[in-house]
Amino acid sequence: MRFFGKAMALAGSVFMLSLPAFAFSAGDSWDWQLTEPAELNRPVKVLDLHPSIVSPEDLAALKSKGIKTICYVSVGTLERTSPDRANFPSEIIGNTYDDWPDERFLDIRRLDVLLPLMAARFESCKSMGFDAIEPDNMDVHDNDSGFPITEQHAVAYIRLLAGTARGLGLKIGQKNVPDLTEKLIDVLDFAIAESCYQDRTCKAYSAYNDAGKAIFDAEYIDKPIHFTKACTIAEKYGISMILKDRDLTAPALWCPEPN
């Protein structure tokens, strides 16, 4: 697109700004909660949270305990309840996401529109006190979005989002898309996978562990799973694994159990 060169220059300039001092390390324990009420009293090093279920005061209290926090942001879909929904022009809103009928895919080729909107979302996370971004729905190219989106478009978009986050002093992770690991690991700080044991994709994230970066995975109770076997695979690939319900409410099992 004609806006691509300008967007690349912008991302390149922000990428050179100061980077966050902390790091997510391989083996960090974690929990993931996107549905209220949040249970924040967890013996973990990392909490991944939807910004609508916590307050800046909650995040400050977690930071005082040395807990790093990740802010959930959908970068590939628009949720019906998004407070900034009116800022998204209709021409970049595509098909409904089959698994999540309240979400519709975004045309991630439109960098001129989406990069400023996502930058504003990232800035909101930062102002609340989050340390990092979970950019959900990176896999628009693998879905019936209503747009002719390719893997190349996805990689370009994600790399630009990485530069945007870094320019704000935030870490940012890879969310799913195991087939894109080698094309993204140099600009991303950790990985978040869903059902990598159940889908037999855990090995695809192993480059993060090799680089000393954290791999977080959630398996789900709505699918048959032998969690002890899953934990064996998690240990093999250096994955911090949890077992959750699909709505990501508070209940969880860990392997290994956090101290």
Side-chain angles (χ1 to χ4, degrees):
M1 295 183 64
R2 63 185 184 276
F3 302 98
F4 185 77
K6 183 184 292 185
M8 284 294 290
L10 174 63
S13 64
V14 297
F15 191 83
M16 295 305 293
L17 299 178
S18 59
L19 301 183
F22 70 88
F24 293 89
S25 301
D28 280 353
S29 56
W30 81 307
D31 190 22
W32 191 15
Q33 298 180 39
L34 302 185
T35 302
E36 60 185 351
E39 171 52 66
L40 304 180
N41 187 24
R42 291 285 161 87
V44 296
K45 294 182 179 180
V46 178
L47 272 171
D48 186 341
L49 302 161
H50 197 291
S52 68
I53 69 172
V54 289
S55 67
E57 292 75 20
D58 291 328
L59 297 172
L62 292 170
K63 188 179 293 288
S64 71
K65 299 176 183 178
I67 297 173
K68 294 165 281 193
T69 54
I70 303 174
C71 183
Y72 173 89
V73 178
S74 180
V75 300
T77 67
L78 181 62
E79 297 166 311
R80 180 179 55 81
T81 56
S82 296
D84 60 350
R85 182 180 177 85
N87 297 332
F88 289 75
S90 59
E91 66 266 21
I92 71 164
I93 302 173
N95 292 340
T96 299
Y97 191 170
D98 287 343
D99 291 338
W100 304 98
D102 287 339
E103 298 183 45
R104 294 175 67 182
F105 288 107
L106 294 170
D107 186 353
I108 63 170
R109 301 170 301 163
R110 289 296 305 273
L111 302 174
D112 59 313
V113 177
L114 284 180
L115 285 180
L117 290 169
M118 294 304 158
R121 289 183 170 188
F122 292 3
E123 288 171 357
S124 177
C125 291
K126 180 180 175 64
S127 68
M128 286 187 68
F130 282 99
D131 299 308
I133 301 295
E134 175 206 337
D136 195 22
N137 298 307
M138 287 183 167
D139 57 349
V140 181
H141 63 292
D142 280 335
N143 286 279
D144 180 18
S145 68
F147 305 109
I149 294 171
T150 66
E151 178 182 300
Q152 184 178 5
H153 292 129
V155 170
Y157 180 48
I158 296 163
R159 293 182 71 87
L160 287 165
L161 290 176
T164 301
R166 291 289 190 89
L168 293 169
L170 295 166
K171 295 290 191 181
I172 185 169
Q174 175 177 325
K175 176 66 181 295
N176 293 323
V177 291
D179 53 315
L180 300 186
T181 295
E182 295 301 327
K183 297 181 179 180
L184 297 174
I185 188 172
D186 63 314
V187 296
L188 299 177
D189 303 294
F190 55 91
I192 296 176
E194 293 178 280
S195 304
C196 80
Y197 171 75
Q198 291 161 312
D199 294 342
R200 301 179 183 273
T201 58
C202 292
K203 185 178 180 180
Y205 301 97
S206 61
Y208 280 91
N209 185 59
D210 294 341
K213 300 178 181 181
I215 309 169
F216 304 114
D217 173 70
E219 302 295 319
Y220 292 120
I221 60 175
D222 62 350
K223 295 182 179 180
I225 184 170
H226 191 304
F227 196 51
T228 300
K229 291 183 179 178
C231 291
T232 300
I233 296 299
E235 182 178 7
K236 178 179 179 179
Y237 293 115
I239 298 171
S240 299
M241 185 179 286
I242 52 178
L243 183 63
K244 303 282 290 191
D245 64 274
R246 183 67 63 171
D247 289 331
L248 296 169
T249 56
L253 292 177
W254 287 265
C255 62
E257 190 73 20
N259 297 320

